[in-house]
């Protein structure tokens, strides 16, 4: 029955494997060896446990606190010597072959996720004591997950190799691996041109541990292909791999020559079987050399009940016995036992064996090992094992003995006495130990195990007994013999089993029985025939070795172990290295920013933007390029122009005079030339800042000096020349920057003196200057002023700049001579202080007298009417305003008639004072605004506000803010809450609940950060699509939903979402920076645990380059970061203003970004992708919304009219499509057809037409880029308007301004071009009011506040306002215009204009400046005061709608003012910035 079962199984196995009539197939993974127990001995099966494992909890605990530290045992019981005693019986080939055999039987891999059983290290440790880490790293072994849960079923470790002696280290444990090893011809294994094993070009996952002497991982593709990745561990193992590789090919060649084969596969399988058979025989020889031959029973045939599983006692103790026999050096021998190399240290070859063996040849290593004595069986361990054993990157040199002890505990190996009892051997008591050990070792053993003989571990006790017996102790021999017996008896394919179905004859079996390792060595050209006296010499034994080949360690000089021990980082804790990606991203950001800046600079320097007359200026000297150093704006290119008529030197830059220096003011001119750089010239200007020039050549500089000398001669100015070094010149030069600092100090000192004088009440008394305030006092009166300030004098240009005027304006022309009392062409500190005191604290008569004297041109003591006109005109000129001559005459006549002086043509000072008597209080409060030292020459009074009151006010502001923006705050909190929940849910999950994956153990909190931030980013990125659904949002504004969702906060939501996203992008990138650092320090075992789908076991160390460019996740991550950084940088205010095309194009990358995010997760490095679930809904909504816009963008809309308006405004009027319906305040996106600006470059503009009009219009301010192209096209086509391009119009789109009709009182606040939405609203309001439409019934009053620099800046709006004022029959509109070019209301000049404005309003019922009924104000609006006044006017109204469009600073001011409104009324602000 068994024979029938065997025949059927063999047939089906062969059929299923596709082998048909080939040589009988033996599986590579050990499967089907035992027909009754198919999985016995297979790769991945568990270790056998003939004795109950010893764990503290009985199940599998790693708590070894009741046992001494393995490192202490190693230090106290085992010794480490420079030259260990050598064996008199064994060659070094024996321990290396036993390790080679162990690689065939056993492969214990670290568990995944890692479980730490690191070894404690004392601070007093002689080798590791100075280490910052107190534990030597070690991981537990893989185990059956179904075991170790309770004491009755303890942990059972897994063996990744097959248990059989089946050559798995030669051919691999899988058919795929074996197929890669095969050459495909002649049944041989793959070789290179020299006949050696081929290189691993396939990238087979060879186990490539760290080379401790170089702290590098080997390149697996440069390793030779063998069946086991551990072939590169040391030269002995590598040489034996090479030997059996060559033996296989030797057998295949012999079979091929016999001609008894069918095909390549038959040859390979037959050669494989014969090679394995010889390996089995030689393994028996090696084992018999260690144990008594009688201990190993004779072969009695195949036994199907013999379980071949590897005994955990062998795996956790016996296999480590051979560590004591390994010598520290490796003999490399030629023929006749001559040494080829004598100082190959084992510690310098770990995991780098191939390189060493290739240098001398594997034959020399095998020959040397065949007669090199092994180390003696004792407790003397070579330094290469005890202190320089290999380890992971963060602990490159470990204690091999301590590792062996700890591994035994991990496997649950019982104490020595427990095992002895199992094998019916007497237990070892302390008395027995005293007899077998020396006193020192005995006392150490007893102390370490706390006087408990039952605690002594199997490996420790076995090694102590082995030393006493000078051979492997009996219990070790029994365990090893039992293991070999089961492997032999339970192996159906054992070479001695004549019924194994492999077709071997008895002669072949006998030939295999007669084979020795010596035969195989000689067959493969390793000549060792001369090593022994007899032909039957056993290469595992020294017996029979010829005298010439007997050596000892005294013949060698032991070299040092190379490489420093790396103990400075640990990937299980926070890494010390700075992540590499962060600086890379910062560098990219800086490069991109520089590129954008240079693009702007290049555009500004392009021929279209450069002032052409700079190069062809007829007034400038032809001196080439001259650079002025130290200018206020930095370095600039200038030209020199000598005006001989005015005796002035003019400096021009970009075609404009930037400085004019009159040579009439001084008689000598100091010049400083550079002694070490002949291109630099310093011109020292007395009482002003110097000129520091650098010329393009020496010749140009000499020409400039010649011209300057001639000019100075004509101007009677003497030149004083000296030479200094360039450093000295730069240190002494008083450049424009230095001068500006001095002037600011000058003005600040003036105000400080004024405040001090006012506080002492000694400056002005009853309108007259006191002695204390006299500016004729001694210099000592100004004790707080530095001498450098007192010596400083202001030029005319500096004086004008301080007043905020140009030097050529009439006000400056009139005031400067009055202030310059000594008429020396400059103003001293005392002169300026005296002038400012009069303006600041003088009486109204003093100020009027000053103005009277300024405009008394003929100095006859009276002002003519023409001089009064000139006075008003000059003040209007200061603010870029003007008035018709007729209206000016009417204004002056009204002022005179009011004072009963209507018939006067000239006014004395007394009469002038009478005219201004009605405005005496305003003039009394007036002062003079000065730039540079403070806002006003008159210091403000300090308000005494208590802290409690400020806190209450702040509380009210916060309360009002919450009331006005409750929906925005609610959704912001909801969004923020979702973000935090997503982040912390993933963070906590990966920190606390992912232990089974190994992520927390290997990557720590950095992975938690990246997973948490990834969850947030998957949520936020699709939301951008929702916010960009402008058609959907516009539609929702007309529904009830707008009451529950703050649709007006779309832009703010976009910005907030972008900021949150950016924060988590940075967290994600920084987290990955740490992840990459830690991943690159992981061992290959940990890598395969962490990323099993990506990283095959044994493929070597991870690299940042591999992670970034070798995985789809890495590549897409880089592209995402670059794309997002580009988008964020181009989304800044600077980029949007100056490089809108960049902003537009980069934001078109968003679909690409979303696609990359989908691919980013598709790499499945750590988890299944989920981003597509977040993306699906928003993507569908966005696509549908986009289709609406696409359908509109296909229509070309013709321009009806295009006009160029003042103040760089372009007005476009275009046809209104039939189906185009919109509300006042909405906007459209516009693109030009065939204009060269790009069909897809759309720009948003608010419609200035009203919904009732049959056309559409926009007003566009010309800046740069697209708007400039548009303006140029309109100017070009003014004579042929039919050539103007057509438009693509997308919209309309809604914004907050369209909801103005929801409030009873509406406040419209516009700044500059920001008034465009209000043009449409004003027309719509007035139209509805005049037509009595019911839709406007809720609006009772509209306040329009327009802040503009001058009234002429947007004159087109004045026409609209004027038209609205005429049609406003219900007095609905109240307009206020604030002209910010004017100085503060308290300024004396503004006060005079206020007087004129009020007088003109009284006589004509319209503004002097705008011609409208609207009230004109000077200076910036005080929104708090205005809103309080409106609130008092409409006490019955509870909520006011404030709609703002303008600069961000103005919007902020309006919002602040709204938040300060107290009481039951509230002002709700809606802002749109540009």
């Amino acid at each position: 029955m068994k024979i029938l079962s065997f025949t059927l199984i063999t047939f089906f196995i062969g059929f299923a494997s596709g082998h048909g009539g080939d040589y009988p197939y033996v599986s590579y993974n050990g499967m089907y060896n035992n027909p009754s127990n198919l999985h016995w001995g297979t790769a991945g099966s568990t270790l056998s446990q003939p004795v109950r494992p010893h764990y503290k909890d009985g199940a599998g605990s790693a708590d070894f606190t009741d046992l001494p530290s393995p490192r202490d045992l190693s230090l106290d019981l085992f010794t480490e010597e420079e030259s260990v005693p050598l064996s008199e019986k064994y060659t070094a080939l024996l321990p290396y072959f036993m390790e080679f055999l162990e690689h065939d039987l056993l492969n214990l891999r670290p568990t995944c996720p890692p479980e730490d059983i690191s070894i404690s290290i004392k601070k007093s440790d002689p080798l590791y004591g100075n280490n910052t880490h107190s534990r030597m790293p070690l991981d537990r072994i893989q185990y059956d997950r179904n075991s170790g849960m309770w004491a009755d079923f303890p942990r059972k470790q897994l063996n990744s190799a097959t248990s059989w002696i089946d050559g798995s280290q030669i051919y691999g444990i899988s058919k795929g691996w074996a197929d890669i090893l095969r050459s495909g011809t002649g049944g041989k294994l793959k070789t290179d041109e020299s006949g050696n094993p081929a290189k691993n070009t396939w990238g087979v996952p060879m186990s490539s541990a760290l080379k401790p002497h170089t702290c590098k991982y080997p390149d697996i593709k440069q390793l030779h292909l063998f069946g086991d990745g551990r072939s590169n561990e040391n030269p002995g193992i590598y040489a034996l791999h090479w030997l059996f590789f060559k033996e296989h090919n030797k057998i295949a060649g012999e079979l091929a020559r016999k001609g008894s084969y069918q095909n390549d596969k038959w040859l390979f399988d037959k050669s494989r079987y014969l090679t394995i058979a010889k390996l089995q025989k030689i393994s028996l020889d090696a084992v018999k050399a260690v144990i008594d031959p009688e201990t190993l029973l004779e072969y009695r045939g195949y036994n199907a009940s013999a379980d071949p599983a590897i005994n955990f006692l062998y795996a956790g103790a016996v296999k480590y016995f051979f560590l004591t026999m390994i010598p520290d050096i490796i003999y490399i021998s030629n023929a006749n036992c001559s040494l080829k190399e004598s100082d190959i240290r084992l510690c310098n070859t770990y995991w780098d064996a191939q390189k060493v063996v290739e240098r001398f040849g594997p034959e020399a290593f095998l020959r040397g090992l065949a007669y090199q004595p092994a180390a003696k069986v004792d407790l003397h361990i070579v330094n290469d094992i005890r202190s320089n054993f290999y380890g992971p990157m963060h602990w490159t040199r470990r204690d091999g003995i301590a590792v062996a002890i700890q591994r035994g505990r991990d496997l649950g190996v019982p104490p020595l006495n427990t095992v002895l009892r199992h094998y019916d051997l007497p237990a070892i008591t302390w008395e027995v130990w005293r007899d077998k050990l020396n006193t020192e070792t005995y006392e150490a053993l007893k102390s370490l195990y706390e006087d408990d003989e039952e605690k002594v571990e199997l490996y420790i006790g076995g090694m102590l007994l082995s030393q006493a017996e000078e051979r492997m102790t009996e219990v070790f021999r029994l365990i090893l013999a039992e293991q070999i017996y089961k492997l032999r008896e339970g192996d159906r394919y054992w070479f001695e089993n004549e019924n194994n179905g492999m077709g071997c004859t008895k002669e072949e079996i006998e030939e295999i029985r007669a084979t020795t390792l010596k035969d195989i060595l000689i067959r493969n050209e390793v000549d060792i025939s001369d090593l022994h006296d007899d032909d039957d010499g056993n290469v595992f034994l020294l017996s029979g070795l010829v005298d010439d080949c007997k050596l000892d360690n005294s013949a060698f000089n032991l070299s040092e172990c190379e490489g420093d021990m790396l103990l400075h980082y640990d990937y299980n804790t926070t890494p010390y290295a700075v992540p590499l990606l962060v600086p890379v991203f910062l560098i990219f950001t800086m490069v991109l920013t520089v590129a954008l800046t240079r693009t702007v600079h290049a555009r500004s320097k392009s021929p279209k933007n450069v002032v052409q007359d700079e190069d062809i200026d007829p007034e400038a000297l032809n001196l080439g390029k001259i650079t002025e150093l130290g200018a206020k704006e930095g370095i600039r290119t200038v030209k020199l122009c000598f005006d001989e008529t005015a005796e002035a030197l003019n400096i021009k830059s970009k075609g404009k005079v930037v400085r004019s220096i009159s040579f009439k003011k001084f008689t000598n001119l100091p010049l400083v030339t550079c002694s070490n750089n002949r291109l630099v010239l310093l011109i020292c200007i007395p009482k002003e800042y110097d000129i520091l020039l650098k010329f393009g050549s020496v010749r140009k500089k000499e020409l400039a000096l010649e011209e300057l000398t001639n000019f100075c001669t004509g101007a009677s100015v003497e030149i004083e020349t000296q030479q200094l070094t360039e450093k000295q010149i730069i240190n002494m030069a008083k450049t424009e920057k230095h001068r500006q600092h001095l002037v600011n100090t000058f003005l600040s000192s003036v105000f400080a003196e004024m405040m001090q004088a006012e506080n002492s009440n000694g400056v002005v008394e009853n309108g007259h200057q006191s002695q204390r305030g006299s500016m004729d006092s001694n210099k000592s009166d100004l004790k707080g002023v530095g001498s450098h300030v007192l010596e400083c004098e202001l030029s005319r240009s500096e004086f004008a700049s301080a007043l905020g005027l140009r030097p050529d304006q009439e006000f400056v022309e009139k005031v400067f001579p009055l202030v310059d009392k000594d008429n020396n062409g400059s103003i001293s500190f005392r002169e300026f202080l005296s002038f400012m005191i009069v303006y600041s604290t003088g009486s109204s008569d003093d100020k009027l007298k000053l103005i009277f004297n300024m405009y008394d041109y003929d100095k006859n003591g009276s002002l003519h009417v023409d001089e009064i006109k000139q006075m008003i005109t000059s003040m209007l000129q200061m603010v870029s305003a003007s008035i018709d001559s007729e209206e000016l005459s009417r204004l002056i006549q009204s002022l005179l008639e009011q004072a009963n002086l209507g018939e006067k043509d000239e006014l004395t000072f007394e009469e002038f004072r009478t005219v201004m008597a009605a405005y005496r209080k305003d003039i009394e409060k007036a002062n003079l605004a000065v730039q540079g030292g403070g806002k006003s020459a008159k210091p403000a009074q300090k308000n005494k506000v208590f802290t409690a009151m400020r806190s209450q006010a702040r509380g009210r502001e916060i309360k009002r803010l919450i009331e006005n923006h409750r929906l925005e705050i609610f959704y912001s909190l909801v969004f923020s809450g979702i973000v935090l929940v997503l982040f912390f849910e993933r963070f906590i999950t990966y920190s606390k609940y992912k232990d089974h994956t190994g992520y927390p153990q290997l990557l720590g909190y950095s992975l938690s950060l990246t997973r948490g931030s990834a969850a947030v980013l998957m949520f936020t990125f699709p939301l951008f699509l929702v916010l960009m659904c402008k058609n959907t949002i516009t539609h929702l504004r007309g529904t009830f939903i707008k009451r529950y969702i703050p649709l007006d906060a779309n832009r703010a939501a976009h910005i907030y979402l972008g900021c949150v996203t950016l924060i988590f992008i940075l967290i994600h990138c920084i987290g990955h920076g740490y992840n990459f650092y830690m991943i690159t320090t992981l061992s290959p075992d940990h890598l395969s645990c962490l990323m099993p789908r990506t990283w095959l076991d044994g493929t070597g160390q991870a690299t940042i380059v591999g992670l970034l460019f070798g995985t789809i996740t890495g590549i897409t991550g880089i592209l995402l970061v670059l794309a997002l950084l580009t988008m964020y940088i181009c989304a800044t205010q600077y980029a949007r203003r100056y490089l809108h095309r960049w902003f537009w194009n980069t934001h078109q990358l968003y679909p690409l970004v979303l696609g990359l995010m989908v691919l980013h997760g598709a790499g499945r490095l750590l988890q299944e992708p989920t981003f597509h679930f977040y993306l699906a809904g928003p993507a569908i909504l966005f696509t549908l919304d986009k289709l609406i816009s696409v359908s509109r963008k296909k229509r070309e809309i013709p321009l009806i009219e295009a006009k160029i308006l003042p103040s760089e405004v372009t007005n476009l009027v275009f046809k209104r499509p039939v189906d185009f319906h919109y509300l006042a305040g909405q906007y459209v996106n516009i693109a030009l057809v065939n204009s060269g600006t790009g069909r897809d470059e759309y720009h948003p503009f608010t419609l200035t037409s009203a919904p009732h009009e049959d056309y559409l219009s926009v007003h566009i301010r010309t800046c740069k880029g697209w708007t400039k192209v548009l303006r140029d096209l309109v100017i070009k086509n003014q004579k042929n308007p039919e050539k103007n391009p057509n438009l693509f119009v997308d919209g309309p789109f809604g914004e907050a301004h369209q909801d103005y009709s929801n409030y009873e009182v509406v406040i419209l606040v516009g700044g500059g071009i920001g008034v465009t939405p209000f043009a449409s609203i004003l027309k719509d309001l007035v139209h509805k009011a005049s037509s009595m439409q019911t839709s406007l019934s809720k609006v009772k009053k509209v306040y329009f506040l327009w802040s503009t620099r001058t009234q002429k800046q947007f004159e087109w709006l004045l026409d609209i306002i004027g038209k609205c004022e005429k049609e406003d029959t219900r007095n609905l509109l109240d307009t206020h215009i604030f002209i910010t070019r004017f100085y503060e209301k308290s300024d004396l000049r503004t006060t005079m204009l206020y007087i004129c404005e009020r007088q003109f309003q009284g006589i004509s019922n319209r503004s002097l400046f705008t011609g409208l009924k609207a009230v004109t104000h000077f200076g910036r609006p005080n929104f708090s005061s205005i809103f309080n006044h409106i609130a008092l006017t409409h006490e019955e109204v509870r909520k006011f709608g404030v709609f703002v469009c303008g600069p961000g600073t103005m919007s902020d001011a309006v919002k602040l003012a709204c938040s300060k409104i107290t009481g039951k009324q509230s002002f709700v602000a809606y802002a749109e910035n540009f």
Side-chain angles (χ1 to χ4, degrees), residues 177 424 501 534 661 673 692-693 725 1106 1143 1423:
W177 192 312
D424 297 326
D534 57 320
I661 304 168
T673 59
L692 183 59
L693 303 175
T725 64
F1143 164 73
F1423 292 111

Side-chain angles (χ1 to χ4, degrees), residues 145 561 1134 1153:
R145 294 290 174 175
C561 290
Y1134 179 85
V1153 168

Side-chain angles (χ1 to χ4, degrees), residues 52 114 117 218 264-265 389 495 532 722 754 775 782-783 843 858 866 871 921 985 991 1072 1121 1147 1176 1188 1203 1354:
R52 180 179 179 81
I117 51 169
D264 167 72
K265 186 174 186 325
F389 201 59
F495 77 95
H532 296 83
Q722 62 174 320
M754 291 168 56
M775 291 302 103
L782 304 173
K783 294 180 181 179
S843 65
D858 51 12
D866 292 336
M871 176 183 68
K921 291 184 178 180
E985 188 275 332
S991 300
H1072 271 314
V1121 170
H1147 273 62
I1188 299 174
K1203 295 184 295 185
F1354 302 104

Side-chain angles (χ1 to χ4, degrees), residues 848 898-901 908-918:
L848 288 175
Q898 183 175 312
N900 298 319
L901 299 171
T908 64
F909 175 71
E910 294 298 329
E911 291 171 334
F912 180 68
R913 187 170 59 179
T914 302
V915 171
M916 296 297 173

Side-chain angles (χ1 to χ4, degrees), residues 858-921:
D858 51 12
K859 305 300 179 183
N860 61 354
S862 63
L863 284 181
H864 192 272
V865 172
D866 292 336
E867 291 175 326
I868 297 175
K869 288 182 180 180
Q870 188 63 33
M871 176 183 68
I872 297 174
T873 302
S874 68
M875 291 184 178
L876 290 171
Q877 181 190 32
M878 289 187 291
V879 292
S880 302
S882 61
I883 187 174
D884 293 337
S885 176
E886 182 179 348
E887 292 180 341
L888 181 56
S889 297
R890 288 179 57 198
L891 173 62
I892 294 174
Q893 186 64 33
S894 173
L895 286 170
L896 295 177
E897 289 178 356
Q898 183 175 312
N900 298 319
L901 299 171
E903 298 179 356
K904 284 275 190 176
D905 291 332
E906 289 191 9
L907 299 178
T908 64
F909 175 71
E910 294 298 329
E911 291 171 334
F912 180 68
R913 187 170 59 179
T914 302
V915 171
M916 296 297 173
Y919 310 102
R920 188 181 186 89
K921 291 184 178 180

Side-chain angles (χ1 to χ4, degrees), residues 1088-1213:
S1088 61
C1089 170
L1090 186 68
M1091 297 179 286
R1093 295 177 178 175
T1094 306
W1095 213 271
L1096 295 175
D1097 176 39
T1099 50
Q1101 181 190 18
T1103 62
I1104 289 183
V1105 173
L1107 291 170
L1108 291 179
F1109 300 102
T1111 63
I1112 187 173
T1113 303
I1115 294 172
T1116 54
I1118 293 173
L1119 295 176
L1120 276 169
V1121 170
L1122 297 181
L1124 290 169
L1125 276 177
T1126 304
M1127 291 175 68
Y1128 270 99
I1129 292 173
C1130 293
T1132 59
Q1133 181 69 23
Y1134 179 85
R1136 294 203 310 272
R1137 176 168 295 182
Y1138 297 104
L1139 295 167
H1140 188 274
R1141 185 72 182 175
W1142 284 61
F1143 164 73
W1144 177 265
N1145 288 337
T1146 54
H1147 273 62
Q1148 304 311 304
L1149 297 174
Y1150 199 74
L1152 174 64
V1153 168
L1154 295 176
L1156 288 174
M1157 287 198 65
V1158 173
L1159 294 175
H1160 191 63
R1164 293 178 168 85
L1165 282 184
L1166 298 176
Q1167 66 175 34
E1168 291 294 325
T1170 57
F1171 177 64
H1172 52 281
F1173 295 117
Y1174 292 86
L1175 180 62
I1180 294 173
L1181 178 63
F1182 177 76
T1183 302
L1184 296 175
D1185 188 272
K1186 202 70 175 176
L1187 288 174
I1188 299 174
S1189 293
V1190 169
S1191 64
R1192 286 197 298 252
K1193 290 179 180 179
K1194 293 181 179 179
R1195 296 187 299 183
E1196 293 187 18
I1197 300 177
L1199 268 175
I1200 300 175
E1201 184 180 14
K1203 295 184 295 185
I1204 300 298
L1205 302 179
S1207 303
E1208 299 291 319
V1209 174
T1210 304
N1211 175 220
L1212 300 181
V1213 180

Side-chain angles (χ1 to χ4, degrees), residues 176-220:
W177 192 312
D179 287 344
I180 294 175
L181 289 170
R182 291 175 56 182
S183 65
T185 57
K188 294 185 177 182
L189 296 171
K190 197 178 297 181
T191 62
D192 57 18
E193 295 178 356
S194 63
N196 289 317
K199 293 289 182 68
N200 182 25
T201 55
W202 282 72
V204 174
M206 305 288 286
S207 179
S208 51
L210 183 78
K211 296 184 288 187
H213 51 287
T214 63
C215 197
K216 292 181 180 179
Y217 284 88
D219 182 358
I220 63 168

